[in-house]
Amino acid sequence: MTVSQGKAELVDMLRRMILIREFDQLAIELRKKRRIHGALHPYVGEEAVAVGACSALRVTDRITSTHRGHGHCIAKGADINRMMAELFGRVDGYCKGKGGSMHIADFAIGMLGANGIVAGGMPIACGAALAAQLEDAGDVAACFFGDGATGEGEFHETLNISSLWKLPLIFVCENNQYGAGNAVTSVRVVADISMHAAAYGMPGVSVDGNDVLAVRDAMCAAVERARRGEGPTLIHCKTFRSLFHAMRDVPPPETRAADLLAEWRSRDRDPVSRFEDHLTGNGIVTDADVRAIRDHVKRDLDAAVDFAEASPYPDPKDLLVDMFAE
């Protein structure tokens, strides 16, 4: 990689992290004003995981997401116009306005969909990895899931079969310290989720999930291993959900300790601020460059809202179109 290519990649990673942060913060404001509807699960504070992981993937590599999926969509290259239209319930949204926040998917970029079921994306990712193995084009699959998913049967079943079949699958655990309102320490005896890997004969690594470059390095190693046909890897990303679990009409009251929130939101721990400081401190970008990125993101988001509001609502006669049942 040349210096210029390296700089371009790093700047794009910062842009995506800022876009994820601003997209979700805008969505919260739109929900407060009841311009959009449905539940929102903000990804604020976890941007380094999605961007770091997806920066190691090709367009043809496939991912599965969670109920907190906006970050994964944007990191994989989704169109924010269509994402916003989906939040507004309009026909130009990814699911034609029928799916909402928790069901955005774009198969063209390998985004197989967000999922409202805890651990629900794991068997889907396993199937995508099996497809990649059978297609034999060197592609991989990645599965994003939260710490809460480790208590589900699908977690253990998917780790087992993917290791048994040496599937090209990377498990990316976003340990944001809380499953809804329950601290991870209240439901787990062993805090290090990467230790599950040993039981299934695969490598497991824990990384600072708020350091986008650390996530990228771990993901690159796992992807290279998967492409060589050596099977899956479990990456445990230690991060933090800066905001509430879910919002409907108004943000719920914060129940976590103020000093805990202050610690994780501090500039040296917040993933966006940390990466900004890393790039400016190493002369890769200037403060003016960062301001320009933020200005561009704001314009793009304003345009996305305009796009969404210009899109019509679905016709009631199309209620059952694209709905299948056996």
PDB file of all heavy atoms in Angstrom, residues 178-200:
ATOM      1  N   TYR A 178     -23.355  -3.963  27.987  1.00  0.00           N
ATOM      2  CA  TYR A 178     -24.740  -4.070  28.474  1.00  0.00           C
ATOM      3  C   TYR A 178     -25.605  -4.837  27.482  1.00  0.00           C
ATOM      4  O   TYR A 178     -25.538  -4.607  26.270  1.00  0.00           O
ATOM      5  CB  TYR A 178     -25.359  -2.686  28.701  1.00  0.00           C
ATOM      6  CG  TYR A 178     -24.891  -2.039  29.980  1.00  0.00           C
ATOM      7  CD1 TYR A 178     -23.708  -1.317  30.012  1.00  0.00           C
ATOM      8  CD2 TYR A 178     -25.607  -2.191  31.169  1.00  0.00           C
ATOM      9  CE1 TYR A 178     -23.239  -0.747  31.191  1.00  0.00           C
ATOM     10  CE2 TYR A 178     -25.156  -1.625  32.353  1.00  0.00           C
ATOM     11  CZ  TYR A 178     -23.975  -0.914  32.361  1.00  0.00           C
ATOM     12  OH  TYR A 178     -23.516  -0.366  33.529  1.00  0.00           O
ATOM     13  N   GLY A 179     -26.435  -5.737  28.016  1.00  0.00           N
ATOM     14  CA  GLY A 179     -27.501  -6.363  27.260  1.00  0.00           C
ATOM     15  C   GLY A 179     -28.798  -5.721  27.715  1.00  0.00           C
ATOM     16  O   GLY A 179     -29.271  -6.032  28.819  1.00  0.00           O
ATOM     17  N   ALA A 180     -29.313  -4.781  26.903  1.00  0.00           N
ATOM     18  CA  ALA A 180     -30.428  -3.924  27.348  1.00  0.00           C
ATOM     19  C   ALA A 180     -29.981  -3.220  28.625  1.00  0.00           C
ATOM     20  O   ALA A 180     -29.017  -2.453  28.596  1.00  0.00           O
ATOM     21  CB  ALA A 180     -31.701  -4.728  27.527  1.00  0.00           C
ATOM     22  N   GLY A 181     -30.606  -3.489  29.762  1.00  0.00           N
ATOM     23  CA  GLY A 181     -30.219  -2.803  30.993  1.00  0.00           C
ATOM     24  C   GLY A 181     -29.328  -3.619  31.905  1.00  0.00           C
ATOM     25  O   GLY A 181     -29.012  -3.181  33.022  1.00  0.00           O
ATOM     26  N   ASN A 182     -28.912  -4.791  31.460  1.00  0.00           N
ATOM     27  CA  ASN A 182     -28.121  -5.681  32.310  1.00  0.00           C
ATOM     28  C   ASN A 182     -26.633  -5.582  31.984  1.00  0.00           C
ATOM     29  O   ASN A 182     -26.223  -5.836  30.842  1.00  0.00           O
ATOM     30  CB  ASN A 182     -28.576  -7.132  32.133  1.00  0.00           C
ATOM     31  CG  ASN A 182     -30.019  -7.340  32.523  1.00  0.00           C
ATOM     32  OD1 ASN A 182     -30.444  -6.880  33.575  1.00  0.00           O
ATOM     33  ND2 ASN A 182     -30.780  -8.016  31.676  1.00  0.00           N
ATOM     34  N   ALA A 183     -25.836  -5.240  32.979  1.00  0.00           N
ATOM     35  CA  ALA A 183     -24.387  -5.192  32.784  1.00  0.00           C
ATOM     36  C   ALA A 183     -23.868  -6.588  32.473  1.00  0.00           C
ATOM     37  O   ALA A 183     -24.338  -7.582  33.042  1.00  0.00           O
ATOM     38  CB  ALA A 183     -23.704  -4.646  34.033  1.00  0.00           C
ATOM     39  N   VAL A 184     -22.894  -6.678  31.577  1.00  0.00           N
ATOM     40  CA  VAL A 184     -22.367  -7.981  31.180  1.00  0.00           C
ATOM     41  C   VAL A 184     -21.802  -8.728  32.378  1.00  0.00           C
ATOM     42  O   VAL A 184     -21.867  -9.967  32.451  1.00  0.00           O
ATOM     43  CB  VAL A 184     -21.314  -7.821  30.061  1.00  0.00           C
ATOM     44  CG1 VAL A 184     -20.083  -7.084  30.556  1.00  0.00           C
ATOM     45  CG2 VAL A 184     -20.933  -9.174  29.464  1.00  0.00           C
ATOM     46  N   THR A 185     -21.275  -7.993  33.350  1.00  0.00           N
ATOM     47  CA  THR A 185     -20.712  -8.633  34.536  1.00  0.00           C
ATOM     48  C   THR A 185     -21.770  -9.289  35.416  1.00  0.00           C
ATOM     49  O   THR A 185     -21.446 -10.115  36.261  1.00  0.00           O
ATOM     50  CB  THR A 185     -19.934  -7.609  35.372  1.00  0.00           C
ATOM     51  OG1 THR A 185     -20.778  -6.466  35.621  1.00  0.00           O
ATOM     52  CG2 THR A 185     -18.679  -7.143  34.639  1.00  0.00           C
ATOM     53  N   SER A 186     -23.036  -8.932  35.209  1.00  0.00           N
ATOM     54  CA  SER A 186     -24.112  -9.527  36.009  1.00  0.00           C
ATOM     55  C   SER A 186     -24.635 -10.822  35.414  1.00  0.00           C
ATOM     56  O   SER A 186     -25.403 -11.538  36.063  1.00  0.00           O
ATOM     57  CB  SER A 186     -25.274  -8.531  36.153  1.00  0.00           C
ATOM     58  OG  SER A 186     -25.961  -8.370  34.916  1.00  0.00           O
ATOM     59  N   VAL A 187     -24.214 -11.139  34.195  1.00  0.00           N
ATOM     60  CA  VAL A 187     -24.735 -12.336  33.531  1.00  0.00           C
ATOM     61  C   VAL A 187     -23.645 -13.286  33.060  1.00  0.00           C
ATOM     62  O   VAL A 187     -23.938 -14.364  32.545  1.00  0.00           O
ATOM     63  CB  VAL A 187     -25.643 -11.965  32.339  1.00  0.00           C
ATOM     64  CG1 VAL A 187     -26.878 -11.212  32.806  1.00  0.00           C
ATOM     65  CG2 VAL A 187     -24.882 -11.135  31.308  1.00  0.00           C
ATOM     66  N   ARG A 188     -22.375 -12.900  33.219  1.00  0.00           N
ATOM     67  CA  ARG A 188     -21.258 -13.746  32.789  1.00  0.00           C
ATOM     68  C   ARG A 188     -20.265 -13.929  33.932  1.00  0.00           C
ATOM     69  O   ARG A 188     -19.903 -12.961  34.601  1.00  0.00           O
ATOM     70  CB  ARG A 188     -20.526 -13.129  31.598  1.00  0.00           C
ATOM     71  CG  ARG A 188     -21.303 -13.094  30.296  1.00  0.00           C
ATOM     72  CD  ARG A 188     -20.403 -12.596  29.163  1.00  0.00           C
ATOM     73  NE  ARG A 188     -19.237 -13.428  29.012  1.00  0.00           N
ATOM     74  CZ  ARG A 188     -19.181 -14.531  28.263  1.00  0.00           C
ATOM     75  NH1 ARG A 188     -20.249 -14.911  27.589  1.00  0.00           N
ATOM     76  NH2 ARG A 188     -18.083 -15.247  28.184  1.00  0.00           N
ATOM     77  N   VAL A 189     -19.806 -15.159  34.113  1.00  0.00           N
ATOM     78  CA  VAL A 189     -18.773 -15.424  35.112  1.00  0.00           C
ATOM     79  C   VAL A 189     -17.410 -15.018  34.558  1.00  0.00           C
ATOM     80  O   VAL A 189     -16.593 -14.420  35.257  1.00  0.00           O
ATOM     81  CB  VAL A 189     -18.775 -16.912  35.503  1.00  0.00           C
ATOM     82  CG1 VAL A 189     -17.615 -17.211  36.453  1.00  0.00           C
ATOM     83  CG2 VAL A 189     -20.099 -17.298  36.140  1.00  0.00           C
ATOM     84  N   VAL A 190     -17.155 -15.339  33.288  1.00  0.00           N
ATOM     85  CA  VAL A 190     -15.889 -15.014  32.625  1.00  0.00           C
ATOM     86  C   VAL A 190     -16.143 -13.873  31.656  1.00  0.00           C
ATOM     87  O   VAL A 190     -16.957 -13.998  30.739  1.00  0.00           O
ATOM     88  CB  VAL A 190     -15.309 -16.237  31.886  1.00  0.00           C
ATOM     89  CG1 VAL A 190     -14.021 -15.866  31.174  1.00  0.00           C
ATOM     90  CG2 VAL A 190     -15.080 -17.382  32.860  1.00  0.00           C
ATOM     91  N   ALA A 191     -15.457 -12.761  31.852  1.00  0.00           N
ATOM     92  CA  ALA A 191     -15.719 -11.568  31.047  1.00  0.00           C
ATOM     93  C   ALA A 191     -15.152 -11.669  29.639  1.00  0.00           C
ATOM     94  O   ALA A 191     -15.662 -11.033  28.715  1.00  0.00           O
ATOM     95  CB  ALA A 191     -15.149 -10.339  31.750  1.00  0.00           C
ATOM     96  N   ASP A 192     -14.073 -12.438  29.445  1.00  0.00           N
ATOM     97  CA  ASP A 192     -13.394 -12.479  28.153  1.00  0.00           C
ATOM     98  C   ASP A 192     -14.115 -13.443  27.210  1.00  0.00           C
ATOM     99  O   ASP A 192     -13.946 -14.659  27.296  1.00  0.00           O
ATOM    100  CB  ASP A 192     -11.935 -12.900  28.337  1.00  0.00           C
ATOM    101  CG  ASP A 192     -11.116 -12.715  27.066  1.00  0.00           C
ATOM    102  OD1 ASP A 192     -11.727 -12.561  25.989  1.00  0.00           O
ATOM    103  OD2 ASP A 192      -9.881 -12.726  27.147  1.00  0.00           O
ATOM    104  N   ILE A 193     -14.907 -12.895  26.315  1.00  0.00           N
ATOM    105  CA  ILE A 193     -15.722 -13.703  25.405  1.00  0.00           C
ATOM    106  C   ILE A 193     -14.869 -14.481  24.413  1.00  0.00           C
ATOM    107  O   ILE A 193     -15.267 -15.545  23.925  1.00  0.00           O
ATOM    108  CB  ILE A 193     -16.753 -12.790  24.702  1.00  0.00           C
ATOM    109  CG1 ILE A 193     -17.786 -12.313  25.733  1.00  0.00           C
ATOM    110  CG2 ILE A 193     -17.444 -13.493  23.541  1.00  0.00           C
ATOM    111  CD1 ILE A 193     -18.700 -11.214  25.259  1.00  0.00           C
ATOM    112  N   SER A 194     -13.659 -14.014  24.143  1.00  0.00           N
ATOM    113  CA  SER A 194     -12.796 -14.722  23.195  1.00  0.00           C
ATOM    114  C   SER A 194     -12.419 -16.111  23.699  1.00  0.00           C
ATOM    115  O   SER A 194     -12.022 -16.974  22.905  1.00  0.00           O
ATOM    116  CB  SER A 194     -11.526 -13.916  22.921  1.00  0.00           C
ATOM    117  OG  SER A 194     -10.692 -13.865  24.060  1.00  0.00           O
ATOM    118  N   MET A 195     -12.559 -16.356  24.995  1.00  0.00           N
ATOM    119  CA  MET A 195     -12.204 -17.663  25.549  1.00  0.00           C
ATOM    120  C   MET A 195     -13.133 -18.767  25.067  1.00  0.00           C
ATOM    121  O   MET A 195     -12.802 -19.952  25.151  1.00  0.00           O
ATOM    122  CB  MET A 195     -12.184 -17.599  27.074  1.00  0.00           C
ATOM    123  CG  MET A 195     -11.076 -16.713  27.626  1.00  0.00           C
ATOM    124  SD  MET A 195     -10.989 -16.701  29.431  1.00  0.00           S
ATOM    125  CE  MET A 195     -10.438 -18.387  29.752  1.00  0.00           C
ATOM    126  N   HIS A 196     -14.301 -18.415  24.549  1.00  0.00           N
ATOM    127  CA  HIS A 196     -15.193 -19.422  23.982  1.00  0.00           C
ATOM    128  C   HIS A 196     -14.551 -20.099  22.768  1.00  0.00           C
ATOM    129  O   HIS A 196     -14.919 -21.234  22.426  1.00  0.00           O
ATOM    130  CB  HIS A 196     -16.515 -18.793  23.546  1.00  0.00           C
ATOM    131  CG  HIS A 196     -17.444 -18.464  24.675  1.00  0.00           C
ATOM    132  ND1 HIS A 196     -18.104 -19.426  25.400  1.00  0.00           N
ATOM    133  CD2 HIS A 196     -17.832 -17.273  25.198  1.00  0.00           C
ATOM    134  CE1 HIS A 196     -18.867 -18.851  26.324  1.00  0.00           C
ATOM    135  NE2 HIS A 196     -18.711 -17.541  26.226  1.00  0.00           N
ATOM    136  N   ALA A 197     -13.645 -19.416  22.103  1.00  0.00           N
ATOM    137  CA  ALA A 197     -13.073 -19.936  20.860  1.00  0.00           C
ATOM    138  C   ALA A 197     -12.356 -21.260  21.067  1.00  0.00           C
ATOM    139  O   ALA A 197     -12.434 -22.167  20.227  1.00  0.00           O
ATOM    140  CB  ALA A 197     -12.125 -18.905  20.263  1.00  0.00           C
ATOM    141  N   ALA A 198     -11.643 -21.386  22.178  1.00  0.00           N
ATOM    142  CA  ALA A 198     -10.846 -22.593  22.410  1.00  0.00           C
ATOM    143  C   ALA A 198     -11.698 -23.849  22.423  1.00  0.00           C
ATOM    144  O   ALA A 198     -11.273 -24.915  21.945  1.00  0.00           O
ATOM    145  CB  ALA A 198     -10.083 -22.458  23.721  1.00  0.00           C
ATOM    146  N   ALA A 199     -12.906 -23.751  22.958  1.00  0.00           N
ATOM    147  CA  ALA A 199     -13.785 -24.921  23.031  1.00  0.00           C
ATOM    148  C   ALA A 199     -14.198 -25.413  21.651  1.00  0.00           C
ATOM    149  O   ALA A 199     -14.603 -26.573  21.499  1.00  0.00           O
ATOM    150  CB  ALA A 199     -15.024 -24.590  23.856  1.00  0.00           C
ATOM    151  N   TYR A 200     -14.100 -24.546  20.664  1.00  0.00           N
ATOM    152  CA  TYR A 200     -14.506 -24.910  19.312  1.00  0.00           C
ATOM    153  C   TYR A 200     -13.327 -24.951  18.338  1.00  0.00           C
ATOM    154  O   TYR A 200     -13.522 -24.952  17.121  1.00  0.00           O
ATOM    155  CB  TYR A 200     -15.595 -23.944  18.829  1.00  0.00           C
ATOM    156  CG  TYR A 200     -16.821 -24.007  19.710  1.00  0.00           C
ATOM    157  CD1 TYR A 200     -17.068 -23.031  20.660  1.00  0.00           C
ATOM    158  CD2 TYR A 200     -17.695 -25.088  19.632  1.00  0.00           C
ATOM    159  CE1 TYR A 200     -18.178 -23.108  21.506  1.00  0.00           C
ATOM    160  CE2 TYR A 200     -18.802 -25.181  20.457  1.00  0.00           C
ATOM    161  CZ  TYR A 200     -19.037 -24.184  21.400  1.00  0.00           C
ATOM    162  OH  TYR A 200     -20.126 -24.283  22.222  1.00  0.00           O
TER     163      TYR A 200
END
